[in-house]
Amino acid sequence: MTETIRTEALRGIMMRGPGLTQTLPFYEDMWGLKLAHAEDGTALLRGTGEEAFLYGLKDGPVFGIEYIHFAMPDRETMDALHAQCLAKGAPVLGAPMAFDDWSGGYGFEVLDPDNRRLRFRCDARTLDEEPEWAKPRKVSHVVLNAPDMEATQAFYETVLGFRVSDYSADQMVFLRCNTDHHAIALVRGNYASVNHVAFEMPTLDEFMRGIGRMKQKGHVPTWGPGRHGPGDNPFAYFVSPSGFVIEFTSEVQQIDEATHEAQVWPRDDPEKMDQWMTAGPPTPAQRAVMQGRPDPGFPELRAKAKGAA
């Protein structure tokens, strides 16, 4: 039996929406990212690591995701993942090829069941690390609202090689592609949308100092700080000027494949939702903003995709 090819890592995400590049000063002056590259209607922001960009801002008519960005280790594995996507009947947007954008490299794109573009890239541009105190190192995870959570989960598992780390009752599933507890999490939603994007701080002290920097600049958390049960990670959620929910986190649980067993975490036990009991449950307003705005994705690309049903 052929072994399933697994996605290597989450690189980051490109967001889109009206006037999104106008919010660049918020991410530079407050959130702790740095502009890596800009061109007409697009701004790419880096963290302190060598990844060329973690978070992209692209002007467009609809608030949502332009693409979620993943890494593969080399061209051979990239080609094997592409073949796996085709074999599973996934809507692949062309053969692997050289990217002509600023990040460069080699790879391909595929649509998930909610018509989100997923971009896989290897041999990409890298930058010199710039360690700075209390600045995000990487994008830890992306959480997506999915109207058919089970179908979307099955896609990420069978087509892209993700594995289940834990569940939050029957409302949420945490999916990993490497030792981090989750790179993608899915929430049962009324429509497809982005729930939030989490940025990892190197240490707990830097996590707290990041919250402090935001508060000193007049931007307080809408939920947190606290510490989740699933993933065991500290959390502090904020709302960006464009209305996207973003999170500071740190110390995400590392999974031992040989011993880990997924569990179902209850949602009615406050201490399982927040081990520190400092944040309390999310307010109705917080839940509403995390539901996000409906994101149609790219349905027009599905009909053109190789492997589409």
Side-chain angles (χ1 to χ4, degrees):
M1 186 176 179
T2 306
E3 186 176 351
T4 300
I5 303 298
R6 297 186 65 181
T7 299
E8 182 186 45
L10 175 67
R11 289 185 182 275
I13 190 168
M14 176 80 83
M15 307 302 296
R16 60 179 176 149
L20 220 56
T21 57
Q22 296 173 25
T23 67
L24 178 61
F26 166 83
Y27 292 100
E28 289 186 293
D29 302 339
M30 299 175 71
W31 197 246
L33 300 177
K34 183 179 289 188
L35 182 65
H37 178 74
E39 51 193 64
D40 237 9
T42 304
L44 304 180
L45 291 148
R46 66 167 299 181
T48 62
E50 65 176 17
E51 190 69 47
F53 79 96
L54 303 180
Y55 200 71
L57 307 173
K58 181 174 181 178
D59 295 331
V62 178
F63 284 107
I65 296 170
E66 179 71 10
Y67 61 83
I68 305 176
H69 199 194
F70 296 100
M72 295 301 287
D74 51 49
R75 293 190 176 211
E76 181 181 359
T77 314
M78 184 72 74
D79 291 344
L81 178 65
H82 179 263
Q84 178 171 284
C85 289
L86 286 176
K88 299 287 186 180
V92 176
L93 306 180
M97 60 189 299
F99 287 109
D100 62 0
D101 60 358
W102 178 75
S103 296
Y106 173 86
F108 70 97
E109 293 183 336
V110 65
L111 297 178
D112 81 0
D114 292 315
N115 292 319
R116 299 182 186 92
R117 287 167 63 201
L118 311 179
R119 178 171 292 186
F120 294 83
R121 192 191 308 256
C122 66
D123 299 340
R125 177 193 295 265
T126 58
L127 304 176
D128 292 336
E129 292 191 12
E130 294 185 355
E132 288 188 67
W133 176 250
K135 301 293 179 68
R137 176 172 55 193
K138 69 175 188 176
V139 167
S140 167
H141 54 268
V142 173
V143 178
L144 305 169
N145 300 311
D148 188 342
M149 191 177 78
E150 286 78 11
T152 305
Q153 174 188 340
F155 170 87
Y156 280 89
E157 286 186 276
T158 61
V159 178
L160 303 179
F162 282 73
R163 299 181 184 181
V164 174
S165 293
D166 282 310
Y167 296 91
S168 178
D170 63 349
Q171 296 299 304
M172 192 170 183
V173 60
F174 299 87
L175 301 167
R176 69 185 184 276
C177 57
N178 50 33
T179 58
D180 287 352
H181 180 269
H182 56 292
I184 295 291
L186 304 174
V187 180
R188 196 179 302 281
N190 296 320
Y191 46 79
S193 58
V194 59
N195 185 290
H196 69 271
V197 177
F199 296 78
E200 183 179 296
M201 295 294 208
T203 65
L204 188 59
D205 277 351
E206 289 171 275
F207 163 81
M208 291 302 295
R209 183 63 185 89
I211 298 170
R213 178 178 65 247
M214 294 289 287
K215 292 186 73 171
Q216 290 296 316
K217 293 177 179 289
H219 211 91
V220 299
T222 55
W223 185 30
R227 189 168 199 131
H228 286 309
D232 195 33
N233 53 303
F235 65 87
Y237 295 88
F238 297 82
V239 179
S240 76
S242 51
F244 292 123
V245 179
I246 48 179
E247 176 192 4
F248 282 144
T249 191
S250 188
E251 298 185 347
V252 176
Q253 179 185 353
Q254 296 300 294
I255 298 297
D256 182 344
E257 293 285 358
T259 60
H260 181 76
E261 294 184 11
Q263 63 175 299
V264 179
W265 290 78
R267 293 174 72 87
D268 56 357
D269 182 342
E271 201 163 351
K272 299 295 186 183
M273 293 283 283
D274 174 15
Q275 298 179 70
W276 290 342
M277 296 293 283
T278 52
T283 63
Q286 179 68 26
R287 291 191 185 279
V289 75
M290 292 174 93
Q291 180 58 55
R293 292 155 289 201
D295 182 1
F298 296 89
E300 69 279 7
L301 297 179
R302 181 171 289 269
K304 301 176 184 178
K306 293 181 181 179

